[in-house]
Amino acid sequence: MLYLSYSLFCFASAQKVTQLSYCSIDEHHLRMDCKYSLPAESPEAVCKYTQGERVLDTTDPEEEQHAPFKTRAKVRIFPGNNCRLLFKNLPNGKSNFTCNIKQTETASKTSVVEKKLLLPCSALSVLLQSCSGLLLTFMTLPMLLEFHWL
């Protein structure tokens, strides 16, 4: 029973990445938002974006950014447990981006971004990436209301 209580406590106190969404600020710049959850009343987490072993940027002052990205990448934490990456001059093709959230442990999520398929940043692009079920509901609601009038 003690083991079960201990494992439940560990599970309940862990942080996790809940959503990783991205869009283009203009045709060459990427914005990526990493939403995460933390246990209640926990200290602020450290956020880091990587490509493989290379650190694009981090909120940890002890960790150093990979030199080629010092003028191209910037990471900031926003209220609501959102870590945002702004990345300039996104190369053509596909690129892997990993969001790492560290508090007592590290939680991460990776996404493949293809430049030619990148949607512009807007409320609609965020809905398309993160709430497709909700968007589908809102789009079909007018059609359902039409049938009601027949």
Side-chain angles (χ1 to χ4, degrees):
M1 181 70 173
L2 180 61
Y3 175 74
L4 179 61
S5 300
Y6 178 71
S7 63
L8 287 175
F9 175 74
C10 288
F11 179 73
S13 66
Q15 71 278 359
K16 68 178 185 175
V17 175
T18 57
Q19 180 184 1
L20 192 58
S21 59
Y22 51 87
C23 58
S24 67
I25 297 171
D26 64 25
E27 84 181 57
H28 300 292
H29 303 320
L30 171 73
R31 183 180 95 189
M32 184 170 274
D33 288 317
C34 180
K35 296 194 185 254
Y36 56 94
S37 62
L38 295 175
E41 299 180 25
S42 58
E44 187 65 41
V46 171
C47 177
K48 172 173 66 172
Y49 277 89
T50 58
Q51 282 187 328
E53 298 296 316
R54 301 177 300 177
V55 176
L56 300 175
D57 196 18
T58 180
T59 59
D60 184 354
E62 303 294 316
E63 194 163 5
E64 193 161 330
Q65 197 174 10
H66 192 66
F69 299 115
K70 287 190 181 208
T71 60
R72 293 178 59 197
K74 182 67 182 158
V75 169
R76 283 186 52 201
I77 292 182
F78 289 90
N81 295 338
N82 182 26
C83 179
R84 178 171 290 166
L85 168 70
L86 296 176
F87 188 80
K88 296 179 182 176
N89 302 320
L90 184 65
N92 290 326
K94 295 179 182 179
S95 302
N96 289 334
F97 292 88
T98 302
C99 172
N100 303 279
I101 302 295
K102 183 177 181 185
Q103 192 182 43
T104 54
E105 309 170 354
T106 300
S108 62
K109 191 167 196 164
T110 301
S111 192
V112 178
V113 175
E114 188 165 358
K115 185 176 180 177
K116 70 179 180 180
L117 300 177
L118 206 53
L119 295 174
C121 293
S122 68
L124 182 59
S125 69
V126 173
L127 275 176
L128 285 172
Q129 289 183 26
S130 61
C131 307
S132 57
L134 182 63
L135 182 63
L136 182 61
T137 302
F138 283 125
M139 291 178 72
T140 57
L141 188 60
M143 186 170 55
L144 292 172
L145 292 174
E146 258 325 287
F147 288 126
H148 177 70
W149 293 102
L150 291 177

